[in-house]
Amino acid sequence: MSSSAQKYDVFQAIADPTRREVLKLLAHKELPISEITSHFPMSRTAIAKHLHILSEANLVSGQKVGREKRYHLKPETFQELKDWLSYYDQFWSNKLSMLKFVVENDGEDSRSNKETD
Amino acid sequence: MSSSAQKYDVFQAIADPTRREVLKLLAHKELPISEITSHFPMSRTAIAKHLHILSEANLVSGQKVGREKRYHLKPETFQELKDWLSYYDQFWSNKLSMLKFVVENDGEDSRSNKETD
DNA sequence: TTGACATGACACCAAAAGGTTTTATATAAT
DNA sequence: ATTATATAAAACCTTTTGGTGTCATGTCAA
């Protein structure tokens, strides 16, 4: 599949508030560009660009139906994001258990700096 | 300080590849700016800016220790992202894709050390 | 065939993002 | 007290981003 020089990745795609709104709209129902546009205070061209970016990031995909093109979400890519996030889970659980350890042992570890944050 | 007019949100913060690398570094160990910088082909000032953005997005926080300032991750904000993502689950939970997640995370939290970004 | 509709593709522009270098300030060590 | 270290802050520059408007193309309906 596309290993092509993707200009936009998932992270950049969801960085823009308008694009996140578009995703939210498409969650409920697949929609053509002009209908999506009607929900925003900007031109259809602008929305088309946003959809292009979302599409390159594989967050949405469009299928032509007659003269319109209907866009819908692509679940797989949301999963990519979840995977990225879950990478960090291991560190937090470690951190939490370590904190618990420190507390239970009255913080006698010499090298540890306790954070008040 | 908690009511600042946040210029950068979490989504923008993680949009940049360098910043995601920084997060990855900080996952293992809290670090001062200069040490973080040593992992990148750019100036300390540039990294400082990235840290400022990550900090504004509440993904990291820094504490001064002597003349250095050590940065560490803030788990709560990662949770925010998870929440945003989980909103979409309802729309495709019946369909596919969650299956993939379950399978890939089968081994519980022992040594799943996937390379992320 | 003609006209309306839905979209795609350009060219253009202002503002923001991501980097640089320089200057300043606080702490540590000799 | 002086010097070296660690960071902060400001001015500046270039590329990218997010928007605009205009024109071209493809499809449906009279």
Side-chain angles (χ1 to χ4, degrees):
Chain A
M1 212 137 193
S2 56
S3 266
S4 50
Q6 227 180 357
K7 186 175 181 188
Y8 291 95
D9 64 14
V10 189
F11 299 96
Q12 283 178 281
I14 64 168
D16 184 89
T18 300
R19 287 196 288 271
R20 290 200 300 278
E21 272 299 313
V22 170
L23 291 177
K24 216 166 162 188
L25 274 176
L26 293 179
H28 299 84
K29 188 165 175 290
E30 70 172 16
L31 296 171
I33 293 197
S34 18
E35 175 127 359
I36 298 174
T37 304
S38 72
H39 291 78
F40 296 90
M42 66 186 71
S43 71
R44 188 188 50 77
T45 309
I47 297 295
K49 280 191 184 178
H50 284 308
L51 281 170
H52 180 71
I53 289 169
L54 289 170
S55 187
E56 241 188 87
N58 249 286
L59 280 164
V60 310
S61 171
Q63 53 173 160
K64 280 195 73 173
V65 176
R67 63 180 159 181
E68 49 178 43
K69 189 169 177 182
R70 300 194 186 143
Y71 286 89
H72 58 91
L73 298 190
K74 300 198 67 177
E76 318 87 87
T77 311
F78 283 75
Q79 188 53 51
E80 258 183 49
L81 273 171
K82 282 199 172 183
D83 291 344
W84 180 81
L85 273 173
S86 65
Y87 169 79
Y88 291 91
D89 286 343
Q90 56 184 314
F91 297 103
W92 300 335
S93 48
N94 287 349
K95 215 170 190 175
L96 282 178
S97 9
M98 176 143 121
L99 183 62
K100 190 178 170 215
F101 175 83
V102 169
V103 167
E104 281 173 354
N105 291 272
D106 211 43
E108 57 174 312
D109 185 3
S110 56
R111 228 178 22 127
S112 75
N113 29 60
K114 283 173 288 183
E115 309 168 18
T116 43
D117 199 10
Chain B
M1 281 275 222
S2 47
S3 57
S4 51
Q6 230 181 357
K7 185 176 181 185
Y8 293 94
D9 63 17
V10 188
F11 298 97
Q12 284 178 279
I14 64 169
D16 184 89
T18 300
R19 287 196 288 271
R20 290 198 300 277
E21 273 299 315
V22 170
L23 291 178
K24 213 168 158 187
L25 275 176
L26 293 179
H28 299 84
K29 188 167 175 291
E30 69 171 17
L31 296 171
I33 294 197
S34 17
E35 175 127 359
I36 298 174
T37 304
S38 71
H39 292 78
F40 296 91
M42 67 186 70
S43 71
R44 190 191 52 74
T45 308
I47 297 296
K49 280 190 185 179
H50 283 308
L51 282 169
H52 180 70
I53 290 168
L54 287 170
S55 185
E56 241 187 87
N58 249 286
L59 281 164
V60 310
S61 171
Q63 52 172 166
K64 279 196 74 173
V65 175
R67 60 181 159 180
E68 51 178 41
K69 190 169 178 182
R70 301 195 186 142
Y71 286 88
H72 59 91
L73 299 190
K74 301 198 69 179
E76 318 86 87
T77 310
F78 283 74
Q79 188 55 49
E80 256 183 50
L81 273 171
K82 284 200 172 184
D83 291 345
W84 180 81
L85 273 173
S86 65
Y87 168 79
Y88 291 89
D89 285 343
Q90 57 185 309
F91 296 102
W92 52 59
S93 53
N94 296 343
K95 307 177 181 176
L96 52 134
S97 90
M98 287 316 287
L99 199 56
K100 190 178 169 233
F101 179 79
V102 170
V103 168
E104 281 180 349
N105 292 269
D106 187 50
E108 203 55 33
D109 72 327
S110 51
R111 62 185 191 286
S112 62
N113 216 344
K114 287 178 293 184
E115 202 56 31
T116 311
D117 203 54

